[in-house]
Amino acid sequence: MSKTAALELKKVSKRFGSVVANHQVDLTVYQGEILSVLGENGSGKTTLMNMIAGIYYPDDGQIFVDGKEAVIRSPKDAFDYKIGMIHQHFKLVDVFTATENIVLGLREEKGFDLKKSAARIREISEKYGFEIDPDKKIYQMSVSEKQTVEIIKVLYRGADILILDEPTAVLTPQETQKLFAVLRRMRDDGKAIIIITHKLHEVLALSDRVSVLRKGESIGTVITAETNEAQLTEMMVGKKISLNIDRSEPKNLTDRLVVRNINCSSRDGVKLLDNVTFTARSGEILGIAGIAGSGQRELLESIAGLQHVDSGEILYYDPKTGAEENLRDKTPLQIREMGVRLSFVPEDRLGMGLVGNMDIAENMMLRSYRRGKSIFLEKKQPRTLAEEIIKQLEVVTPSVNTPVRRLSGGNVQKVLVGREISSSPSVLMAAYPVRGLDINSSYLIYKLLNEQKENGVAVIFVGEDLDVLLELCDRILVIGAGRVTGIVDARTATKEEIGLLMTKTEGGEAHG
């Protein structure tokens, strides 16, 4: 039985000034198929999908929908061709209900009948197995419910071709399994589904075929059942990469940071951290897992002196003197000078920790400069340091003198993490250090964190990928709604166990 192509791209190219984002890309997705699109950062995945969704218009090439050439100049054109894209960052109105968000922007001849719309939403939900309350307001919803609203929104508009950008980035393992079950039902109903993801194990579990992009060009398409992680990685990167994180056994464990019963609230009185207690030890990596926005950021910022703490203690044991210090009484600068370093990789990488207009060497100086020193700073050492980081972390940059804002997000991230590690910390807190990084760069950073652990540093690692947390860390602290819901041994815990703790809101037994 021959398959019917739902969407076909032929020799599609897109340039932004002198940068070639896509060059003569060919791509086909069939009706009743899930196609994964894989590629490193900057390989052109999102640009390509944005051309299908009508956000960009190709400079060259053709797009065919159901065998006929399509001209897609806007998202409205894409909808007319029954194409819908579910972006990583949701576009929903918080104070509206699910139904109101789903019909928003549609034109109805006789005005809207929200009851009828809600009935249609229930019909779609039952057909594919979604769990959604059409009358629930967006601000009352979990992340996975909001994502469900986005998917139903495009189905309600009649989409037969769906594009999902990193759909599992913010989901627990249980929510991911539910989403996969829904996507399989949609595929069985004849929908064509394209998924952009970084997670190879998900690609292998869900898709029928995988298309790989490298540096803006099509490398090839393979049948999922006939490939494996190593082959896909080699296609993406262009060389063989070991996909093993070498986790060493912790040695000479010493309590370095003891956090006891810390509480903190936002300005409007919302509790951000609720009685959090744990210990971080030198010579081990303590992972922190939790659904996005559960208090991970506030916890690290409390330790670094950047977040006001209402009550509780943050005790630091100085490795040189053995003295106990309560960090709650210290300024961020005093805490840094003691060797407690926070490498936080937020979505706005330049908003925190780096100055965009300064070059890489000057950004290194930001960490070494101290008040009271001469205004004529010694530039040689930061420059050498910048060169070392560029070499070791394979930072793509014309030179150490390039302004940081001209680097890609992934390269900015490497500079940020490299700078913190180079300061010889005694406690290194790395939050989302591989967010958005390709496989090659991610494994370089895991290796660096392991080296820090072996050097006797207490490493605290906040990550989004549970597979990585289980493979890299020694213990994992799970946080839900600002509370510690459990601390588990990463060598014996399962993803499912951590997923359940992530959705639990009552405080659990905090072992270790």
Side-chain angles (χ1 to χ4, degrees), residues 174-193:
Q174 286 83 351
E175 289 166 342
T176 297
Q177 289 310 320
K178 273 187 194 168
L179 174 66
F180 284 4
V182 167
L183 293 176
R184 287 186 188 109
R185 280 185 212 112
M186 284 161 57
R187 171 191 63 190
D188 298 343
D189 188 43
K191 305 282 185 202
I193 300 166

Side-chain angles (χ1 to χ4, degrees), residues 256-493:
R256 185 64 61 233
L257 197 67
V258 177
V259 174
R260 277 198 203 124
N261 307 106
I262 63 167
N263 291 279
C264 76
S265 310
S266 66
R267 283 177 186 161
D268 45 8
V270 176
K271 202 143 212 199
L272 302 170
L273 293 176
D274 188 357
N275 231 20
V276 170
T277 296
F278 69 92
T279 301
R281 304 175 184 133
S282 64
E284 74 164 2
I285 298 180
L286 174 69
I288 297 184
I291 295 164
S294 299
Q296 302 93 313
R297 180 188 189 123
E298 289 78 10
L299 178 56
L300 298 201
E301 290 186 351
S302 299
I303 298 167
L306 299 167
Q307 168 78 46
H308 173 71
V309 175
D310 301 332
S311 61
E313 293 180 308
I314 302 166
L315 302 177
Y316 170 71
Y317 296 93
D318 191 312
K320 292 189 184 90
T321 62
E324 175 192 292
E325 301 271 6
N326 190 351
L327 299 187
R328 257 195 78 193
D329 310 327
K330 304 276 183 288
T331 65
L333 187 64
Q334 287 172 323
I335 292 169
R336 288 193 54 78
E337 298 215 317
M338 293 165 84
V340 179
R341 301 290 165 138
L342 170 58
S343 169
F344 199 99
V345 181
E347 277 165 14
D348 173 16
R349 299 174 177 96
L350 292 180
M352 193 155 171
L354 294 174
V355 178
N357 288 331
M358 289 168 74
D359 67 29
I360 301 173
E362 288 166 334
N363 269 286
M364 295 299 144
M365 283 164 56
L366 287 178
R367 285 293 187 244
S368 52
Y369 174 61
R370 288 289 172 267
R371 280 175 296 186
K373 288 206 179 167
S374 159
I375 199 162
F376 302 104
L377 287 166
E378 174 60 63
K379 271 200 174 187
K380 191 172 168 211
Q381 197 195 351
R383 190 184 176 87
T384 312
L385 182 58
E387 283 165 355
E388 271 173 30
I389 287 172
I390 288 167
K391 190 176 165 195
Q392 195 178 358
L393 291 184
E394 298 170 17
V395 176
V396 180
T397 175
S399 80
V400 288
N401 303 321
T402 303
V404 165
R405 68 185 154 74
R406 290 216 188 132
L407 303 180
S408 75
N411 286 305
V412 167
Q413 209 156 308
K414 290 179 188 177
V415 171
L416 195 61
V417 175
R419 185 184 66 185
E420 298 308 325
I421 287 174
S422 68
S423 64
S424 307
S426 51
V427 177
L428 175 67
M429 299 184 285
Y432 313 112
V434 299
R435 178 183 271 166
L437 285 187
D438 53 60
I439 288 177
N440 199 15
S441 305
S442 299
Y443 277 80
L444 276 169
I445 288 188
Y446 303 147
K447 185 169 166 276
L448 280 175
L449 294 176
N450 260 320
E451 284 170 7
Q452 292 299 300
K453 160 187 158 176
E454 284 161 21
N455 291 340
V457 175
V459 179
I460 300 175
F461 172 82
V462 181
E464 288 159 314
D465 189 331
L466 292 188
D467 290 278
V468 168
L469 281 161
L470 288 166
E471 228 183 300
L472 174 70
C473 303
D474 299 294
R475 291 179 303 137
I476 298 171
L477 176 149
V478 188
I479 193 165
R483 299 181 133 208
V484 174
T485 55
I487 298 178
V488 297
D489 181 338
R491 286 171 172 77
T492 55

